[in-house]
């Protein structure tokens, strides 16, 4: 039989997909056996959301090499556009999977377009300046949504930025977006299985982009912008490509998030700068540019506070210690050298030599 030779990139991709599938099967087995509490089961969809956000932000921070702090803003755009569509089409499109797929497409496209429009002027900046501008963008999006009122009646849609009364709706009119109260009554179309499918699709897009010709061009810009420009690489094009794809994937995460809630509000906790910082923490602790590490960090840091809830006063202390240990494990030069020395591949290689 002819031996199938796979490249290192293909093997790594298969391992990454395999980790997601095996984790899904284990969790489904635990649910079937009744071993998972309702609290942990309620965290499964948010876990998928955070994994998608971490992987998509790593495309900007790790692969492109630009520091963005407005990722929650793109998530907010996807969440509200997707929820708005589903809320309007609930009685028109009665097949839930079709409606949800259309909501995903709309949320991704809207977030991607906003990312493209924001990226055109913003990506000319670098370092701290880019981080500050993207942070401001995320706050602007959240505040705009909080003053937006949209209703619908027999005459069509009505818009206002004052209050719901100024919409002038008929008696049977429906207020869809009600300012700071957000959107209520969004169909709960998302679940853990859909979340895992979206994670695999996100990984497929990001990993294939990284290992493509375009991905190599993006990483060359990260490593040395002047050298990349000198050999004819279109800096603006590739920066916008990575930034827009990252924003679109954040929009997908937002749609998944919004369809898991009965009431969607643009609060600082959900879509504020704290959320953007938390996603960045997932990326940094998992390893900048390490897609698999971002996934693991997102899962661990999301589950850890809930698993330690029984410790009450010591819960956040242990959480902080774990953060410090993970940071040292990933970035300490001595520990990196030690990991390489005792890596599995190296030990297997030595055993073969013997």
């Amino acid at each position: 039989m002819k031996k199938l030779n796979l490249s290192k990139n293909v093997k790594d991709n298969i391992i990454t997909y395999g980790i997601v599938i095996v984790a899904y099967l284990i969790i489904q087995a635990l649910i079937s056996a009744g071993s998972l509490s309702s609290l942990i089961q309620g965290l499964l969809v948010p876990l998928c959301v955070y994994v998608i956000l971490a992987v998509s932000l790593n495309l900007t921070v790790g692969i492109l090499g630009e520091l963005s702090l407005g990722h929650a803003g793109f998530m907010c755009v996807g969440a509200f556009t997707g929820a708005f569509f589903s809320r309007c089409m609930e009685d028109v499109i009665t097949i839930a999977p079709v409606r949800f797929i259309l909501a995903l497409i709309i949320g991704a496209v809207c977030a991607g377009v906003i990312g493209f429009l924001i990226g055109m002027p913003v990506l000319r900046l670098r370092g701290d300046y880019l981080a500050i501008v993207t942070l401001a963008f995320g706050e602007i999006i959240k505040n705009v949504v909080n003053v937006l009122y949209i209703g619908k009646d027999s005459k069509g849609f009505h818009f206002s930025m004052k209050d719901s009364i100024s919409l002038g709706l008929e008696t049977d009119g429906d207020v869809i977006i009600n300012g700071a109260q957000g959107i209520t009554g969004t169909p709960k179309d998302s679940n853990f299985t859909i979340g895992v499918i979206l994670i695999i699709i996100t990984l497929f897009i990001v990993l294939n982009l990284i290992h493509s010709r375009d991905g190599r061009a993006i990483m060359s810009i990260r490593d040395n912008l002047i050298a990349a420009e000198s050999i004819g690489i279109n800096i603006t094009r590739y920066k916008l490509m990575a930034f827009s794809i990252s924003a679109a994937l954040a929009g997908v995460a937002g749609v998944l998030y919004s369809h898991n809630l009965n009431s969607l509000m643009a609060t600082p906790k959900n879509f504020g700068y704290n959320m953007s910082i938390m996603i960045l923490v997932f990326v940094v602790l998992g390893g900048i540019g390490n897609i698999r590490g971002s996934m693991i960090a997102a899962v661990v840091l999301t589950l850890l506070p809930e698993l330690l809830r029984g410790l009450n006063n010591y819960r956040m202390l242990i959480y902080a210690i774990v953060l410090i240990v993970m940071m040292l494990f990933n970035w300490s030069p001595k520990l990196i050298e030690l990991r390489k020395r005792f890596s599995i591949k190296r030990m297997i290689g030595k055993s073969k030599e013997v």
Side-chain angles (χ1 to χ4, degrees):
M1 293 179 66
K2 187 178 179 180
K3 188 177 179 180
L4 183 62
N5 292 320
L6 299 175
S7 66
K8 182 180 180 297
N9 292 336
V10 173
K11 290 179 181 177
D12 287 343
N13 291 355
I14 291 172
I15 291 171
T16 305
Y17 299 137
I19 289 172
V20 176
I21 294 169
V22 169
Y24 170 74
L25 294 175
I26 291 172
I27 290 173
Q28 288 292 1
L30 291 173
I31 292 173
S32 301
S35 301
L36 278 186
S37 65
S38 57
L39 179 64
I40 299 298
Q41 290 185 41
L43 283 174
L44 293 178
V45 173
L47 265 179
C48 296
V49 171
Y50 294 141
V51 168
I52 295 171
L53 288 170
V55 171
S56 60
L57 183 60
N58 213 339
L59 180 60
T60 298
V61 176
I63 309 305
L64 180 60
E66 300 287 357
L67 181 59
S68 172
L69 294 179
H71 215 54
F74 299 123
M75 178 189 173
C76 183
V77 171
F80 274 88
T81 53
F84 180 80
F85 172 81
S86 293
R87 184 77 164 69
C88 293
M89 296 291 109
E90 188 174 7
D91 297 328
V92 179
I93 305 174
T94 54
I95 304 173
V98 174
R99 183 179 60 234
F100 185 66
I101 290 171
L102 291 174
L104 283 171
I105 294 170
I106 290 171
V109 169
C110 290
V113 169
I114 294 295
F116 180 82
L117 295 176
I118 294 295
M120 288 175 67
V122 163
L123 290 175
R124 299 177 185 273
L125 304 172
R126 291 187 62 81
D128 298 339
Y129 301 104
L130 175 64
I132 292 168
V133 172
T134 52
L135 178 64
F137 155 73
E139 290 301 300
I140 289 170
I141 288 292
K142 176 175 65 67
N143 289 317
V144 166
V145 170
N146 280 330
V147 297
L148 187 63
Y149 296 85
I150 301 178
K152 182 184 178 183
D153 58 16
S154 61
K155 296 179 182 177
F157 290 100
H158 301 258
F159 301 86
S160 174
M161 297 189 75
K162 186 178 178 183
D163 52 41
S164 57
I165 298 174
S166 60
L167 290 172
L169 295 174
E170 297 174 348
T171 53
D172 59 345
D174 182 21
V175 179
I176 300 173
I177 300 182
N178 193 15
Q181 296 180 25
I183 300 177
T184 56
T186 305
K188 294 191 72 173
D189 294 332
S190 61
N191 55 50
F192 179 54
T193 301
I194 292 174
V196 171
I197 292 171
L198 291 177
I199 288 174
I200 292 173
I201 292 172
T202 301
L203 288 171
F204 180 81
I205 293 170
V206 173
L207 292 174
N208 278 279
L209 175 63
I210 291 172
H211 299 139
S212 68
R213 183 179 178 182
D214 292 336
R216 289 190 291 272
I218 291 169
M219 286 186 282
S220 70
I221 294 171
R222 173 197 66 190
D223 295 336
N224 195 318
L225 189 144
I226 296 173
E229 192 172 17
S230 67
I231 60 173
I233 292 176
N234 190 328
I235 304 296
T236 304
R237 176 193 167 192
Y238 286 110
K239 277 190 172 185
L240 282 174
M241 177 192 294
F243 197 72
S244 300
I245 292 173
S246 176
L249 293 174
V252 169
V255 175
L256 181 66
Y257 178 79
S258 65
H259 285 72
N260 190 49
L261 301 171
N262 289 321
S263 180
L264 177 68
M265 294 179 286
T267 62
K269 181 181 178 181
N270 294 343
F271 303 111
Y273 65 87
N274 284 333
M275 173 65 80
S276 293
I277 296 295
M278 186 177 72
I279 304 165
L280 183 62
V281 167
F282 296 154
V283 173
V284 174
L285 288 181
I288 296 176
N290 187 343
I291 302 300
R292 203 181 301 163
S294 298
M295 292 167 48
I296 295 170
V299 172
V300 170
L301 295 182
T302 303
L303 288 178
L304 195 61
E306 301 304 326
L307 296 175
L308 297 174
R309 189 171 290 277
L311 297 176
N312 294 330
N313 296 333
Y314 301 101
R315 180 167 63 100
M316 295 313 295
L317 174 62
I318 296 172
Y319 181 78
I321 292 172
V322 170
L323 282 177
I324 294 170
V325 170
M326 287 181 68
M327 181 64 76
L328 291 173
F329 182 77
N330 281 327
W331 297 105
S332 173
K334 293 290 184 183
L335 285 175
I336 292 172
E337 184 182 341
L338 191 65
R339 290 208 315 269
K340 288 180 179 178
R341 187 182 303 170
F342 294 100
S343 66
I344 296 173
K345 289 181 180 179
R346 183 164 181 155
M347 292 174 72
I348 291 172
K350 285 184 177 180
S351 64
K352 286 181 178 179
E353 289 176 3
V354 173

